[in-house]
Amino acid sequence: MRYKRVVRNAVVVVLLTITMITFAADDVLQQAKQLLSTSHAQAAYDLLNPLQEERAGQPEYDFLLGRAALELGRHTEAVFALERVLAVLPDNGPARALIAQATSSDLEWEPRFHLIVQSIVQSDADVVCLCELNHFGLESLSL
């Protein structure tokens, strides 16, 4: 008899804990939405990013993280988060729009030029193919 009561109480405690975590998690998402709606993308990102390990795969979380990352210019992170949204909800229009915005931003030449040069300098390679830099008419580039 006593064993059943202990097990029943343990189950109740676990269920209450899960419920409290769920409400706290929803509070985090509400706070992130509020931050994003008031143009505080960095604060929203700082709030959401540490929760990736436990929340990645939850569409609402991933959407907000993707949106915050995109607004901060973290396009690759945004694409990964938004792809998780679309894996679960393939018809999610807002996620599709943001992922299109993220990928088109990656194709703009001016930011790409700096990323390409930074990549070349960091790689310290003996041989580098500079065909992408031809867009800028750079025949010789002093690094």
Side-chain angles (χ1 to χ4, degrees):
M1 266 318 224
R2 182 169 157 76
Y3 175 74
K4 287 183 181 180
R5 187 173 41 188
V6 169
V7 170
R8 185 181 63 218
N9 288 342
V11 169
V12 168
V13 167
V14 168
L15 290 175
L16 286 173
T17 303
I18 290 171
T19 303
M20 289 172 35
I21 289 171
T22 302
F23 285 128
D26 291 344
D27 185 47
V28 167
L29 296 181
Q30 289 301 324
Q31 188 177 356
K33 282 181 190 176
Q34 179 64 31
L35 289 166
L36 286 168
S37 71
T38 57
S39 300
H40 292 93
Q42 184 66 57
Y45 180 83
D46 292 343
L47 178 67
L48 296 168
N49 191 44
L51 304 174
Q52 276 196 71
E53 191 171 310
E54 61 194 67
R55 303 286 312 258
Q58 298 173 3
E60 188 175 10
Y61 166 82
D62 286 330
F63 180 80
L64 293 172
L65 179 63
R67 181 176 161 201
L70 181 62
E71 290 183 23
L72 293 173
R74 300 171 183 250
H75 298 139
T76 303
E77 292 178 60
V79 168
F80 280 127
L82 294 166
E83 283 178 343
R84 289 192 302 261
V85 173
L86 295 174
V88 177
L89 302 170
D91 295 330
N92 186 306
R96 286 185 173 280
L98 287 180
I99 205 167
Q101 183 181 346
T103 54
S104 70
S105 297
D106 287 338
L107 297 177
E108 293 176 14
W109 276 107
E110 198 58 38
R112 283 180 72 201
F113 170 75
H114 297 289
L115 290 172
I116 292 167
V117 171
Q118 180 182 14
S119 206
I120 292 168
V121 170
Q122 288 176 347
S123 72
D124 195 27
D126 293 330
V127 177
V128 177
C129 176
L130 297 177
C131 60
E132 283 227 44
L133 296 178
N134 286 341
H135 172 79
F136 296 97
L138 301 174
E139 293 179 6
S140 67
L141 179 65
S142 175
L143 302 176

